[in-house]
Amino acid sequence: MDWFNYYGLAIVVLILLPNIIYAVRCKDEFVNKYRNKAVEVLEQIGRYLCMVFMVFNVPYTYFGFWFDYALAVYLSVNGVLCVAYLICWIVLWKKRNLTKAITLSVLPSIIFIFSGVMLANIPLVVFAVIFAVNHILLSCKNILVKG
């Protein structure tokens, strides 16, 4: 893989699709109850930079696959995780509970972290961890906070 990762682009599109559909169909359904500016900003920084580093490989920060058949493992595991994410979106569409919050925040976090490790992409791993911690926290707090 050179500087552009077509597989990463496909993965990002698959992750974004149900979110875009949900945002269009259920505009008024989500209210952010948990207000912590630092967590919100870190989550957004992590989210967008994960998407950028999934698609663009920056020289000297990206080392590529580091073992034989790594591409097959990368595509297989990410394929299973993306399908699981899409199925969870379908099954949990109308729910608003902790199961949905955890599932739909942990799966993309795993996808980003796994991809970063498989590609030996240092910025992707760093921003995936930042995203994971803050996204899971925000998702869970929004369900647990009353008001």
Side-chain angles (χ1 to χ4, degrees):
M1 243 178 279
D2 291 324
W3 66 274
F4 193 83
N5 181 352
Y6 294 100
Y7 303 120
L9 177 61
I11 292 165
V12 168
V13 168
L14 283 173
I15 291 172
L16 284 177
L17 232 106
N19 290 285
I20 293 168
I21 293 168
Y22 187 81
V24 169
R25 288 183 140 192
C26 307
K27 291 176 201 148
D28 302 324
E29 207 166 296
F30 181 77
V31 177
N32 193 8
K33 296 178 189 173
Y34 179 69
R35 303 240 182 244
N36 183 323
K37 197 65 170 168
V39 172
E40 291 173 14
V41 168
L42 285 170
E43 186 224 11
Q44 292 302 316
I45 289 169
R47 175 192 315 272
Y48 292 114
L49 288 176
C50 279
M51 288 189 263
V52 166
F53 288 115
M54 282 286 290
V55 178
F56 299 104
N57 302 316
V58 178
Y60 308 109
T61 65
Y62 156 83
F63 300 98
F65 296 117
W66 42 278
F67 64 91
D68 294 338
Y69 306 108
L71 176 60
V73 172
Y74 172 80
L75 293 175
S76 300
V77 171
N78 275 328
V80 168
L81 290 169
C82 284
V83 167
Y85 184 70
L86 295 173
I87 289 170
C88 289
W89 256 113
I90 292 166
V91 170
L92 301 170
W93 184 267
K94 299 248 184 215
K95 306 257 191 283
R96 183 155 170 76
N97 57 27
L98 195 56
T99 301
K100 180 179 181 178
I102 292 171
T103 305
L104 296 180
S105 58
V106 168
L107 283 171
S109 298
I110 293 171
I111 291 169
F112 289 140
I113 292 169
F114 174 77
S115 296
V117 170
M118 287 300 295
L119 292 167
N121 187 328
I122 296 163
L124 181 53
V125 171
V126 169
F127 290 111
V129 170
I130 291 168
F131 169 73
V133 169
N134 292 288
H135 187 56
I136 294 166
L137 176 64
L138 272 177
S139 298
C140 293
K141 287 285 193 176
N142 273 318
I143 293 298
L144 299 173
V145 170
K146 303 289 185 222

